Amino acid sequence: MRGSPHVASNQGHTRRNRCVSEKVGRNGTRERDGMEQNASKGRGTMETNRLEGKECVEYKTGRGPNRHFRVRIRKSEHAERCVHSSDLLTANSVPTADRRRKHTYLRISVTERCNLRCLYCMPEEGVELTPKKSLLTSEEILRLAKLFVSEGVEKIRLTGGEPTVRKDFMELASELGAIPGLQHLGITTNGIVLAKKLPMLKRSGVDLLNISLDTLRPSTFQELTRRNGLEKVLRSIETACELGYDPVKVNCVVMRGRNDHEILDFVELTRDKPINVRFIEYMPFDGNAWADKKMVSYKEMVDLIEKRHGKGCLRRMNDGKSEVAKNFTVDGHRGSVSFVTSMTEHFCSGCSRLRIMADGNLKVCLFGPSEVSLRDAMRSGATDEELLQIISAAVDRKKAAHAGMFELAKTKNRSMIQIGG
């Protein structure tokens, strides 16, 4: 654990109420706080206006390929609904009170660039990268990170693309690691250049580590990533173990006919080392040619492991309410295995995650197409107060659950490399 936990409290200081308004128009449509835009192309500008005599900020999207949104942020004591600051990151879309989702985990993509070309992450033809001037600067990332931590975020994870290819990544990680109240700072990386950077990253406060690796065979590695480098990734895993990371999480996306025959080999990695192998069900994203027949389900993987190691060899661990994986110890193994069952047994009701992409768009659901541009708001002069209202409105629109794997396969979304792994 890093530092002391940040607890929202009314003792010792006074918090201002932040109002989130919703107005029902004559035609039944609603004007709501925040900014929303199409997932791929929408751009917007922010300007200060007056709404019915009340101060407000109005955001209008640019020429996106689909819908246009016009949204306003009101500051009014007559707002129909108020959200106190301690509730800003709590989604109201789950009706049962004790299941309201408090968002304490923020994933920030710091780049869209990567030194691999993984099949499930990037289309074969590549992707059009966002121009550098449209990406978040380090200063903007730090501003947003501090803002989210001030509202109760306890864990930040840096992703990409491949985060370690960002030129100022080491400095950025160090500054993020020094944010008061932040309990955990993690990274998700492909491990290609990690080994030499990891000692300094650990000193900077990176205490959580996920390394993506989908095969233990050099030829398959080259096939899946369209690059070489398996030995470098394995060395990074070894370095992480030597530096005392426990567990060292290894993310493995399982694809039928590609690497499902290596499941038992990955389980063997956990025998003598503090490695947690996280088997991830293959998920649909733009350009990754997903099909349900390519997906290996959680239950299939469990059955395979139990056939080799015996019925009951997997013992369920005590998972937290917001844990996305089903975690198990393996009899006789030092490490553990987990299953991320996004497709067959979703965990939406306990989701505590929010995502900021490299271009500054806030994404409240990995599979949802709706996004909110925090970059445009900041560059148009939005105050922290106005940013928090935008964020609160976006979080409140988070759905109770995703639509299911077949609907997701038909839903327009970004490629995984643009969203952030």
Side-chain angles (χ1 to χ4, degrees):
M1 180 172 291
R2 297 163 33 82
S4 58
H6 174 83
V7 180
S9 171
N10 291 323
Q11 298 178 351
H13 63 281
T14 301
R15 287 184 180 271
R16 290 176 294 171
N17 293 346
R18 298 186 175 96
C19 295
V20 179
S21 63
E22 180 179 86
K23 177 183 176 183
V24 181
R26 292 179 181 177
N27 61 356
T29 60
R30 297 176 183 266
E31 288 183 349
R32 303 186 67 178
D33 294 8
M35 302 182 294
E36 186 172 347
Q37 61 189 42
N38 181 269
S40 57
K41 299 291 185 181
R43 293 292 183 266
T45 59
M46 177 172 281
E47 56 190 32
T48 300
N49 288 323
R50 295 276 170 179
L51 172 64
E52 296 175 359
K54 303 296 182 182
E55 184 182 353
C56 71
V57 173
E58 183 176 280
Y59 180 88
K60 300 175 183 178
T61 65
R63 293 193 291 269
N66 295 319
R67 297 179 60 185
H68 290 251
F69 294 87
R70 184 183 183 188
V71 286
R72 289 164 170 169
I73 306 166
R74 289 204 221 181
K75 300 173 185 175
S76 170
E77 66 275 19
H78 301 297
E80 297 157 7
R81 183 160 48 98
C82 288
V83 176
H84 295 266
S85 65
S86 60
D87 290 330
L88 276 171
L89 302 184
T90 302
N92 295 314
S93 56
V94 183
T96 308
D98 63 355
R99 291 177 62 202
R100 292 177 72 202
R101 296 169 292 187
K102 182 68 177 178
H103 295 84
T104 58
Y105 182 7
L106 178 65
R107 299 173 70 94
I108 303 175
S109 175
V110 298
T111 182
E112 293 177 349
R113 296 185 179 277
C114 188
N115 44 11
L116 297 180
R117 296 292 183 270
C118 298
L119 297 178
Y120 55 81
C121 189
M122 180 182 288
E124 185 173 1
E125 65 275 13
V127 296
E128 183 179 350
L129 297 177
T130 302
K132 184 177 179 180
K133 65 180 181 180
S134 297
L135 299 175
L136 289 181
T137 65
S138 292
E139 292 75 16
E140 289 169 332
I141 291 173
L142 284 166
R143 179 186 176 187
L144 291 173
K146 291 174 181 177
L147 197 59
F148 275 87
V149 171
S150 75
E151 294 302 324
V153 162
E154 300 168 349
K155 177 167 70 172
I156 290 176
R157 180 174 296 277
L158 304 178
T159 69
E162 168 52 37
T164 59
V165 303
R166 180 172 171 132
K167 290 183 178 180
D168 64 346
F169 178 69
M170 303 299 285
E171 295 80 4
L172 178 60
S174 180
E175 291 188 79
L176 289 167
I179 295 176
L182 181 64
Q183 296 183 39
H184 298 288
L185 179 62
I187 61 171
T188 295
T189 170
N190 60 33
I192 291 292
V193 299
L194 179 67
K196 61 183 180 181
K197 296 177 182 286
L198 194 52
M200 183 176 293
L201 285 170
K202 187 174 184 183
R203 290 194 296 271
S204 297
V206 173
D207 62 340
L208 301 175
L209 185 61
N210 287 54
I211 300 175
S212 299
L213 179 63
D214 304 310
T215 179
L216 300 173
R217 303 180 181 185
S219 59
T220 307
F221 185 91
Q222 200 282 331
E223 177 186 342
L224 292 178
T225 67
R226 307 184 182 105
R227 297 290 187 273
N228 295 314
L230 174 60
E231 288 304 317
K232 294 178 181 178
V233 182
L234 293 174
R235 178 57 190 154
S236 291
I237 294 172
E238 188 68 29
T239 299
C241 292
E242 293 170 356
L243 288 173
Y245 281 93
D246 187 358
V248 177
K249 294 185 177 182
V250 174
N251 294 345
C252 177
V253 177
V254 181
M255 295 162 281
R256 194 181 308 278
R258 294 280 192 178
N259 64 346
D260 54 321
H261 57 287
E262 295 188 62
I263 290 174
L264 295 175
D265 295 335
F266 273 97
V267 173
E268 194 60 27
L269 282 181
T270 72
R271 183 175 293 279
D272 301 313
K273 291 183 172 65
I275 292 175
N276 168 236
V277 175
R278 297 162 65 84
F279 294 110
I280 302 172
E281 291 179 340
Y282 188 29
M283 296 177 279
F285 293 99
D286 277 15
N288 73 352
W290 183 90
D292 63 303
K293 64 182 180 181
K294 297 180 182 179
M295 186 200 69
V296 182
S297 73
Y298 151 60
K299 290 184 178 179
E300 287 181 81
M301 291 186 266
V302 168
D303 288 344
L304 179 64
I305 295 169
E306 288 189 331
K307 284 180 182 178
R308 167 66 66 88
H309 294 278
K311 194 75 173 177
C313 67
L314 298 176
R315 300 181 186 274
R316 187 71 181 267
M317 300 169 69
N318 293 323
D319 300 331
K321 182 179 179 181
S322 61
E323 176 59 59
V324 302
K326 295 174 173 61
N327 301 298
F328 296 82
T329 59
V330 184
D331 284 351
H333 289 227
R334 179 180 175 185
S336 59
V337 297
S338 303
F339 304 90
V340 180
T341 62
S342 304
M343 297 294 95
T344 60
E345 295 184 20
H346 72 72
F347 36 83
C348 301
S349 64
C351 178
S352 64
R353 299 181 176 196
L354 299 171
R355 296 170 183 266
I356 297 176
M357 292 176 289
D359 64 2
N361 277 16
L362 173 67
K363 198 174 183 71
V364 297
C365 175
L366 174 61
F367 300 109
S370 295
E371 300 173 3
V372 179
S373 180
L374 301 181
R375 178 205 65 203
D376 288 354
M378 288 188 292
R379 294 182 185 181
S380 297
T383 65
D384 285 356
E385 182 82 10
E386 289 162 350
L387 284 173
L388 287 171
Q389 289 175 331
I390 293 165
I391 293 164
S392 175
V395 170
D396 195 45
R397 287 192 293 270
K398 187 171 182 175
K399 295 182 179 179
H402 68 60
M405 61 182 177
F406 296 108
E407 285 301 314
L408 294 178
K410 297 183 292 184
T411 301
K412 183 68 176 175
N413 201 353
R414 298 207 203 193
S415 62
M416 194 64 200
I417 194 169
Q418 292 173 313
I419 295 173

